[in-house]
Amino acid sequence: SMMTACVSDGRIVVLAWIFNPIQFSLSFTYMTEIPFAFFTGLGLLAMVRYLETGRIASLVASASALGFSALIRQIAALFIAPLFLGLLLPQPGRPWRQSLWRAVLFAASTVPFLAVYYLWLARRGGPTPAARRKFELLSQLTTEQVIGNSYGLLFYVCFMLLPLLLYVVPSLRSSW
């Protein structure tokens, strides 16, 4: 079925992303990139397992791994928000309250990680000096730097999705 194909493709994408050597070879610091990629990949893999099995434990594991990932890099919110919104969407043959309950459970499993971080920040009197410096540097970005970084991002995304492309190409060829 279409759902089974999407879930198995999703598993392949997540595994290819987690184990892609570019994660290691292009990491300049070997500090936050690897744990961020690991916990984000783990969260996405747990979400794929949840979609396959419907097990609540997989949903909680997904949200928890992504919540922890957000502690490492806040950009994890770009994964958390769409998954939360996707869980809110009504499912065919299921009452809307079930979708709402699962989205709330996902949020409740993610929010404690973020809440502890923001309480820690408030207790310390605000962001760390390194975080404040990052925000100061944002005002000095030029359009040329943003365009250059966007090309680099496009290259990285294409390279990371190359294993999926290799998986999909044979099926595309047969459909032509």
Side-chain angles (χ1 to χ4, degrees), residues 4 14 18 20 32 35 39 42-43 51 70 79-80 107 124 135:
T4 305
V14 170
I18 291 173
N20 195 328
T32 60
F39 284 105
L42 185 65
L51 294 173
F79 294 96
I80 294 169
R124 290 194 79 239
F135 292 122

Side-chain angles (χ1 to χ4, degrees), residues 58-101:
S58 296
L59 180 68
V60 171
S62 172
S64 298
L66 289 169
F68 190 75
S69 178
L71 291 179
I72 299 168
R73 289 203 167 184
Q74 291 74 33
I75 199 158
L78 295 177
F79 294 96
I80 294 169
L83 290 176
F84 173 77
L85 293 173
L87 289 168
L88 275 175
L89 293 175
Q91 301 292 318
R94 288 188 182 169
W96 67 270
R97 287 181 187 197
Q98 189 176 22
S99 296
L100 178 63
W101 181 80

Side-chain angles (χ1 to χ4, degrees), residues 92-162:
R94 288 188 182 169
W96 67 270
R97 287 181 187 197
Q98 189 176 22
S99 296
L100 178 63
W101 181 80
R102 292 188 183 198
V104 168
L105 180 62
F106 181 82
S109 300
T110 303
V111 167
F113 293 96
L114 302 174
V116 168
Y117 171 70
Y118 285 110
L119 286 173
W120 175 78
L121 271 183
R123 192 159 185 246
R124 290 194 79 239
T128 63
R132 280 194 295 272
R133 181 77 179 136
K134 281 184 183 179
F135 292 122
E136 290 171 10
L137 292 175
L138 282 177
S139 64
Q140 297 175 12
L141 274 177
T142 65
T143 305
E144 189 175 303
Q145 289 172 316
V146 171
I147 291 171
N149 287 341
S150 298
Y151 283 129
L153 175 66
L154 181 63
F155 168 76
Y156 290 148
V157 168
C158 290
F159 193 82
M160 286 183 213
L161 292 178
L162 187 60

Side-chain angles (χ1 to χ4, degrees), residues 7-88:
V7 168
S8 65
D9 287 350
R11 182 180 292 155
I12 289 168
V13 169
V14 170
L15 288 174
W17 187 42
I18 291 173
F19 295 108
N20 195 328
I22 198 170
Q23 297 289 351
F24 300 98
S25 67
L26 293 180
S27 174
F28 298 120
T29 61
Y30 291 92
M31 292 174 67
T32 60
E33 294 90 348
I34 302 308
F36 169 76
F38 174 77
F39 284 105
T40 301
L42 185 65
L44 294 175
L45 184 60
M47 180 57 73
V48 169
R49 293 284 299 152
Y50 165 72
L51 294 173
E52 281 182 333
T53 65
R55 293 188 56 216
I56 297 299
S58 296
L59 180 68
V60 171
S62 172
S64 298
L66 289 169
F68 190 75
S69 178
L71 291 179
I72 299 168
R73 289 203 167 184
Q74 291 74 33
I75 199 158
L78 295 177
F79 294 96
I80 294 169
L83 290 176
F84 173 77
L85 293 173
L87 289 168
L88 275 175

